[in-house]
Amino acid sequence: MGDTGGTVGGVVGPAPAELEVLPDAAPWTPPSWDEVVRDHSARVYRLAYRLTGNVPDAEDLTQEVFVRVFRSLPTYTPGTFEGWLHRITTNLFLDMARRRQRIRFEGLGDDAAGRLSGDEPTPAQAFDARHLDGDVQQALADLAPEYRAAVVLCDIEGLSYEEVADTLGVKLGTVRSRIHRGRAQLRVALEHRRPRQAARVSAAATTAAATGGPA
């Protein structure tokens, strides 16, 4: 009887006719505009709002993100799409912040403050106020853009230090430093809360001591 299989390193394998032919992997098809907007616009806007701190800038940043996304889709390597969106959103925010640092605020006109942030809360701001304390949002807005981006990605978006480093394109040690400093500044900015809490505890303790029972 003739051989029905081949040998590889002394191990008998199946005959060529019996080898399983695997189909080529289907090429990746980029999602449509509607699909990306439907599936990711809320996530992108939320991150944009956390980073910019106001609705007009968040809307502008979100729009710029999706323009960049669709320009880059043909060269996108399939992977974690959400991570790719995080990277685009954060980097565009940092670019925006750097550009604004080079522009004199006075050059925007006397009504610039009103145009950049309205006095009345918008629906998005009202929604956000129910999910992130106003003091915290303001403290975040007061951080340097690099610190704010690192803290938002880590402490609000839930990314690991390694994922933050990949998103920002910086070393892990730089991420650790930015988060550490950002958190330290947040603690200082929110320190005004602690005396009130301590005062309530002290008042309760005083009442208990005076009445001989729990406050």
Side-chain angles (χ1 to χ4, degrees):
M1 180 182 296
D3 290 341
T4 58
T7 61
V8 178
V11 178
V12 177
E18 297 173 353
L19 290 174
E20 181 181 1
V21 179
L22 298 176
D24 293 335
W28 181 73
T29 302
S32 68
W33 169 270
D34 290 340
E35 289 171 336
V36 173
V37 171
R38 181 191 66 224
D39 296 340
H40 302 284
S41 59
R43 180 191 300 272
V44 170
Y45 177 81
R46 182 186 64 195
L47 176 58
Y49 183 74
R50 296 290 189 226
L51 293 170
T52 63
N54 66 81
V55 172
D57 285 345
E59 291 176 345
D60 290 344
L61 179 56
T62 299
Q63 181 175 354
E64 192 171 350
V65 167
F66 283 111
V67 170
R68 179 69 59 87
V69 164
F70 278 92
R71 287 176 177 173
S72 305
L73 270 178
T75 59
Y76 169 70
T77 302
T80 304
F81 201 79
E82 291 79 7
W84 188 50
L85 291 175
H86 274 129
R87 185 159 52 253
I88 292 175
T89 307
T90 307
N91 289 335
L92 286 176
F93 160 72
L94 292 173
D95 289 343
M96 175 194 301
R98 294 184 188 108
R99 286 197 305 268
R100 290 192 172 182
Q101 288 176 349
R102 296 194 296 265
I103 299 175
R104 291 180 59 86
F105 187 81
E106 294 83 355
L108 296 177
D110 295 337
D111 62 338
R115 288 188 286 113
L116 291 177
S117 59
D119 295 332
E120 295 298 324
T122 66
Q125 289 170 321
F127 172 86
D128 192 74
R130 295 194 299 270
H131 292 77
L132 187 64
D133 191 283
D135 285 351
V136 176
Q137 183 64 60
Q138 184 58 52
L140 283 171
D142 290 338
L143 293 178
E146 289 80 6
Y147 296 173
R148 191 190 319 166
V151 170
V152 166
L153 289 173
C154 181
D155 293 338
I156 298 179
E157 293 297 312
L159 274 62
S160 67
Y161 281 22
E162 291 78 9
E163 290 170 328
V164 174
D166 181 64
T167 297
L168 298 178
V170 298
K171 295 180 179 179
L172 185 60
T174 301
V175 168
R176 294 184 185 276
S177 175
R178 290 180 182 179
I179 291 176
H180 174 75
R181 295 180 181 181
R183 287 173 177 170
Q185 292 182 22
L186 287 175
R187 284 194 294 270
V188 172
L190 299 173
E191 184 69 20
H192 63 278
R193 294 183 171 195
R194 298 182 63 183
R196 292 202 300 268
Q197 295 174 347
R200 288 196 294 268
V201 172
S202 177
T206 301
T207 302
T211 61

